[in-house]
Amino acid sequence: MKRLLNKVAVVTGAGRGIGKAVASHYAREGAAVVIAEIDEALGEKLAGELVRDGGKAEFVKTDLNQLSDIDALMTQVGSCFGRLDILVNNAAVTKSLDFFEVSEQDWDWIHNVNTKGLFFCMQAAARVMKEQGGGKIVNIASIAGKGYPATSNVAYAGSKGAAIAMTRIGASSLARHNINVNAICPGVTRTDLYYEVMRGRVQSTGKSEQEIIAALDASIPLRRSNEPEDIADLAVFLASDEARNVTGQSWNVDGGLMWD
Ligand SMILES: NC(=O)c1ccc[n+]([C@@H]2O[C@H](COP(=O)([O-])OP(=O)(O)OC[C@H]3O[C@@H](n4cnc5c(N)ncnc54)[C@H](O)[C@@H]3O)[C@@H](O)[C@H]2O)c1
């Protein structure tokens, strides 16, 4: 039995990496998936692949920096599918920066997408879900938001701490509307973003990429960094009816790096 049959899901930043894995798992589990992505080529390509594989998918070009894009996204979801059951707030940006290097421009770039975009997507989706009688929101935060020291930079860690706090407040505010809100906190996950951050560390430390990656993997208790699918597996559960009584939680998927 497919676990998300007849559900309609929006996944932000689904063009690559973790978002792409989540969108693909959701389509396989029977959901109609809306790919809300800033990169048109990536979004179109994934929508085509999911449909070719027998799934239902739509690409909606969305820049989470623009509140008007978030409104337009929800309008388009309504006109394509008539409902919204699941939102996965996955899109985020970061780069490797030392504590003293973080500029106001970096701060705004990171927080506009990771904090402001995430909140207004949650709010817009919750408006639809409330009218419908319920829904599921999954925020992709990070163990950086719980203080993981080897994060890309302090502004990013702050944005992910905010995502965890907003997950809890969202869960308590929306529970009476039968909307569950949970976060997933990935640890080290092999995506394009991860390799971009690693290349930044090569420049700042003078070490080779292999050395940096080997040291990072060795620091993980289970000695294994995530593949995007590790996150997608939990995202399926949190969006499914099986998670009906789970809300306000922040689930680490990190091979044992953080215990909180
Ligand atoms: N990769 C990791 O190690 C790791 C660890 C912890 C948490 N995370 C979190 O997981 C999520 C996905 O990360 P990833 O590694 O797959 O990243 P990624 O950079 O590979 O993919 C992010 C996607 O978001 C899209 N995007 C960026 N800005 C956008 C915007 N303004 N509007 C719409 N889409 C936008 C990008 O085009 C891209 O397709 C993020 O929230 C990230 O913070 C990743």
Side-chain angles (χ1 to χ4, degrees):
M1 176 68 181
K2 293 187 173 182
R3 293 157 82 193
L4 303 177
L5 202 59
N6 300 325
K7 306 281 188 200
V8 176
V10 167
V11 184
T12 69
R16 67 182 201 182
I18 291 171
K20 182 177 179 182
V22 172
S24 307
H25 274 48
Y26 280 12
R28 217 170 54 207
E29 291 292 346
V33 182
V34 178
I35 299 156
E37 165 64 56
I38 195 169
D39 186 315
E40 214 160 337
L42 292 178
E44 295 278 16
K45 182 166 178 280
L46 179 61
E49 285 168 11
L50 296 182
V51 170
R52 200 192 50 222
D53 292 345
K56 285 195 199 120
E58 285 287 333
F59 164 57
V60 180
K61 185 172 192 297
T62 311
D63 178 358
L64 293 174
N65 285 300
Q66 308 292 337
L67 298 195
S68 55
D69 273 23
I70 295 173
D71 287 343
L73 166 68
M74 294 306 159
T75 305
Q76 204 159 333
V77 172
S79 61
C80 285
F81 298 108
R83 57 183 296 111
L84 173 60
D85 303 289
I86 303 158
L87 166 69
V88 181
N89 256 320
N90 164 78
V93 294
T94 192
K95 63 179 170 182
S96 179
L97 289 170
D98 174 72
F99 185 92
F100 292 104
E101 265 181 328
V102 174
S103 66
E104 185 181 7
Q105 200 183 7
D106 295 323
W107 178 276
D108 290 345
W109 172 62
I110 290 167
H111 280 264
N112 274 341
V113 180
N114 303 13
T115 314
K116 186 174 166 189
L118 178 136
F119 170 68
F120 283 103
C121 261
M122 243 198 328
Q123 190 189 56
R127 284 202 175 106
V128 179
M129 292 171 178
K130 181 181 159 195
E131 290 306 309
Q132 262 173 212
K136 301 272 196 321
I137 297 175
V138 180
N139 293 324
I140 307 297
S142 169
I143 57 170
K146 297 181 173 182
Y148 174 56
T151 184
S152 50
N153 69 69
V154 63
Y156 173 77
S159 75
K160 294 302 184 174
I164 293 168
M166 289 191 283
T167 296
R168 292 176 180 161
I169 303 296
S172 73
S173 307
L174 300 174
R176 77 199 70 163
H177 303 298
N178 193 31
I179 299 170
N180 303 50
V181 187
N182 287 286
I184 301 178
C185 298
V188 180
T189 309
R190 294 194 181 224
T191 65
D192 290 301
L193 178 64
Y194 160 87
Y195 286 107
E196 284 163 19
V197 170
M198 292 307 123
R199 284 193 288 275
R201 278 187 196 162
V202 169
Q203 282 176 355
S204 62
T205 63
K207 292 183 183 162
S208 73
E209 190 173 311
Q210 276 151 319
E211 272 177 290
I212 294 168
I213 290 176
L216 208 50
D217 281 355
S219 71
I220 300 170
L222 284 175
R223 296 286 187 274
R224 180 179 173 277
S225 46
N226 291 317
E227 295 301 330
E229 288 68 27
D230 294 309
I231 315 305
D233 283 334
L234 181 54
V236 168
F237 168 71
L238 291 174
S240 73
D241 294 339
E242 293 156 16
R244 61 194 158 272
N245 218 25
V246 178
T247 197
Q249 307 303 310
S250 301
W251 302 89
N252 299 352
V253 180
D254 67 351
L257 275 168
M258 301 287 282
W259 300 113
D260 159 22

